[in-house]
Amino acid sequence: MTRVSPYSVLDRSLSYDWHDSPVGPLLLAGDDASLHLIGFSTGPKEIGPADGWHRASAPFSEVRRQLDDYFDRKRTRFDLPLSLGGTAFQNAVWQQLAAIPFGATWSYGQLAKALGRPTATRAVGAANGANPLPIVLPCHRVIGADGSLTGFGGGMQTKTFLLELEGALAPPGPEQLSMI
């Protein structure tokens, strides 16, 4: 499990805890004021607590409640205090992710246009991939221009699950399952 990440948040002393979810244990990290990181325990961006962090569950009670509501299909938006540690451009991309409606997907090009930077598709993709708060800032809703699912830090199975949960991607029917 990786303990080093591109997230600048890993250089800080934070509280952390794990939260069980339908996509596996999620690492929650933050302080008493805000959530800094959600990390996947599986997938290409598997991450664990950094040295110097201390385990505490109390700072994450509201995060847990809202995540559980989301996975139970009772919540379509999150209302949490967040701390984003990226560049100005990354922060703009991450904040724009929250504008993608529940149950919808946008391409990287659509996201770049929404930011007023229509030629910055690759930079938008890089910022999207560095999102420290997946699910809450729904980078899973960003797909390829041709409608294909593209990489995701929690793995493609997790991205597919989240899009199906939101109704943005139909689960495979019996005819597709028989072809697998």
Side-chain angles (χ1 to χ4, degrees):
M1 182 175 302
T2 303
R3 295 197 189 292
V4 178
S5 167
Y7 308 124
S8 61
V9 68
L10 294 180
D11 297 332
R12 301 183 193 143
S13 176
L14 297 173
S15 297
Y16 81 92
D17 205 3
W18 293 96
H19 182 63
D20 289 328
S21 81
V23 295
L26 297 173
L27 174 67
L28 308 177
D31 54 33
D32 289 335
S34 59
L35 181 65
H36 293 241
L37 175 77
I38 295 176
F40 293 102
S41 60
T42 60
K45 290 198 176 176
E46 176 184 350
I47 189 167
D51 293 336
W53 289 8
H54 60 280
R55 191 156 188 181
S57 61
F60 306 108
S61 60
E62 182 61 15
V63 177
R64 286 183 197 332
R65 187 183 70 74
Q66 289 192 31
L67 283 169
D68 288 345
D69 285 351
Y70 168 79
F71 285 115
D72 288 340
R73 297 181 181 177
K74 297 176 186 171
R75 172 174 294 279
T76 60
R77 296 186 66 83
F78 292 88
D79 183 21
L80 297 165
L82 307 176
S83 180
L84 300 173
T87 66
F89 180 77
Q90 286 175 321
N91 281 288
V93 171
W94 298 336
Q95 289 171 1
Q96 189 64 46
L97 291 172
I100 303 173
F102 183 90
T105 57
W106 286 7
S107 69
Y108 293 96
Q110 287 173 293
L111 189 54
K113 285 178 190 166
L115 288 165
R117 306 272 308 267
T119 61
T121 303
R122 286 184 185 213
V124 163
N128 193 61
N131 175 14
L133 292 162
I135 303 173
V136 171
L137 298 177
C139 53
H140 60 276
R141 296 179 189 159
V142 182
I143 61 173
D146 63 358
S148 64
L149 299 186
T150 55
F152 184 64
M156 293 306 293
Q157 186 175 357
T158 298
K159 182 171 187 160
T160 300
F161 175 88
L162 295 172
L163 291 173
E164 287 175 353
L165 175 83
E166 295 181 5
L169 186 67
E175 62 282 353
Q176 288 104 346
L177 290 175
S178 66
M179 299 166 70
I180 298 176

